[in-house]
Amino acid sequence: MKNQILITGATGATGKNAIAKLIELNIPVRAMVHQIDERSDALAEKGVEIVVGDLSDFNSVSAALKGISAAYFVYPIQVPGLIEATAYFIQAAREQNVGHIVNMSQRTARRESPSHGAQNHWIAERLLDLSGIPVTHLRPTLFAEWLSYFAAEIKGNNRLLSPFGEAAYAPVAGEDTGRVIAAILAKPKGFAGQTLELYGAEEMTQYQVAGILSEELGRTINYIPMEIKPFGEMLKQYFTPYFVQHIDGVAQDFRSGISGGMNDNVEKITGQKPLTIRDYIQTHIELF
């Protein structure tokens, strides 16, 4: 189908919201998913074409990109393999003459990052730049969805844990990021070669986030700042070593102020102000 857009990570926080906006714009969408389940079925019911594939499998990536005019590329930060997946995606996209790629990177992506994951994102950006395909890199700060990782602690123990100390940052919601992705893919002219940092509505510390949680939940939620290493040891119960090392590096960056800052990119690109962390908590109040 002409001008069809491929969304990878189609059931994730950014992918599903990008799809929702593209459907609203009446743009044909193909969604790449790992498996058929109730989430993919829900997308299919909305007219989205579903393909099952894996970004670590060149043949399935090639099949997913067949006939695609523009694509969103996102690789899970929880596991290694980004560089190989980027190479596969580039080659398959070149073969299909894909006209634009929106690449999900991250705010801490840089050559000297202490996080292997963030450094790999920087390398992936460079590979995409060399590909000859018009590309836009998105570098969001920490997602508002970060809170959901610790929903059990918030709900069960009335505490928010993190290794970020008193660092302030502007959490950005997957909904806003998805709308940015859709807007660029729908009208990519002028976005080629850009690296866009994405921020939420306001900078705040984890103490302030805990205060908003307390107000919305009607009970006291305490922020417990942790040192980086003990926090990583705690994460090992739930996440891969690769992700734990990444969070270790991110925490170092947060503490040094690298993840701070603000801009109005979300509003300029989408025409809407970004959601606040209070908006996110209210929408997902049942988690907490």
Side-chain angles (χ1 to χ4, degrees):
M1 191 176 291
K2 189 177 180 181
N3 296 328
Q4 189 169 25
I5 289 174
L6 175 71
I7 300 294
T8 63
T11 58
T14 59
K16 68 181 181 183
N17 283 295
I19 290 173
K21 185 62 180 179
L22 290 167
I23 291 172
E24 184 182 315
L25 295 171
N26 200 31
I27 294 174
V29 181
R30 179 182 296 164
M32 187 176 185
V33 300
H34 278 110
Q35 61 187 16
I36 300 296
D37 57 23
E38 65 278 1
R39 297 173 302 171
S40 62
D41 288 343
L43 292 175
E45 289 173 5
K46 296 175 182 177
V48 176
E49 179 188 354
I50 305 297
V51 294
V52 177
D54 189 325
L55 290 172
S56 298
D57 181 332
F58 179 58
N59 291 331
S60 67
V61 172
S62 297
L65 281 166
K66 188 174 182 180
I68 290 295
S69 60
Y72 170 52
F73 175 69
V74 58
Y75 190 83
I77 193 63
Q78 289 86 358
V79 294
L82 172 61
I83 304 304
E84 184 175 58
T86 303
Y88 287 162
F89 205 82
I90 288 169
Q91 182 59 31
R94 283 172 58 89
E95 291 173 0
Q96 292 298 321
N97 295 312
V98 171
H100 199 99
I101 293 173
V102 172
N103 170 49
M104 177 53 65
S105 186
Q106 58 181 262
R107 178 67 181 81
T108 56
R110 66 189 198 284
R111 193 182 198 283
E112 65 276 16
S113 174
S115 156
H116 298 159
Q119 186 181 64
N120 284 345
H121 269 293
W122 183 83
I123 293 291
E125 290 180 0
R126 306 291 71 78
L127 293 176
L128 284 158
D129 289 343
L130 291 168
S131 72
I133 303 169
V135 61
T136 306
H137 303 298
L138 301 182
R139 289 184 175 178
T141 190
L142 205 66
F143 286 153
E145 282 77 3
W146 167 263
L147 277 180
S148 68
Y149 289 171
F150 304 100
E153 277 291 334
I154 296 168
K155 192 170 188 175
N157 297 317
N158 294 321
R159 61 182 188 174
L160 173 63
L161 308 174
S162 95
F164 302 146
E166 297 187 14
Y169 70 101
V172 61
E175 181 177 337
D176 289 316
T177 308
R179 289 190 293 105
V180 169
I181 294 160
I184 297 172
L185 290 173
K187 295 181 179 179
K189 185 177 180 180
F191 287 104
Q194 291 196 28
T195 298
L196 301 169
E197 294 178 356
L198 302 180
Y199 299 95
E202 59 181 322
E203 283 188 291
M204 58 181 53
T205 66
Q206 296 284 277
Y207 290 102
Q208 291 171 300
V209 173
I212 294 171
L213 279 166
S214 299
E215 292 169 6
E216 292 300 323
L217 294 171
R219 64 182 196 273
T220 300
I221 306 298
N222 294 302
Y223 170 49
I224 310 297
M226 294 184 66
E227 291 304 312
I228 294 173
K229 292 303 179 184
F231 186 77
E233 288 299 317
M234 182 187 73
L235 289 188
K236 286 179 181 178
Q237 304 174 62
Y238 312 104
F239 299 104
T240 64
Y242 183 81
F243 182 71
V244 173
Q245 196 281 332
H246 167 64
I247 294 301
D248 183 302
V250 167
Q252 294 177 51
D253 282 348
F254 268 63
R255 289 184 172 201
S256 62
I258 287 175
S259 295
M262 285 288 294
N263 63 33
D264 61 352
N265 279 337
V266 170
E267 184 175 4
K268 283 195 302 184
I269 295 168
T270 69
Q272 293 178 234
K273 290 185 179 294
L275 299 172
T276 66
I277 196 67
R278 189 182 297 274
D279 293 329
Y280 177 80
I281 292 167
Q282 289 175 345
T283 302
H284 300 87
I285 197 75
E286 74 285 349
L287 291 176
F288 310 112

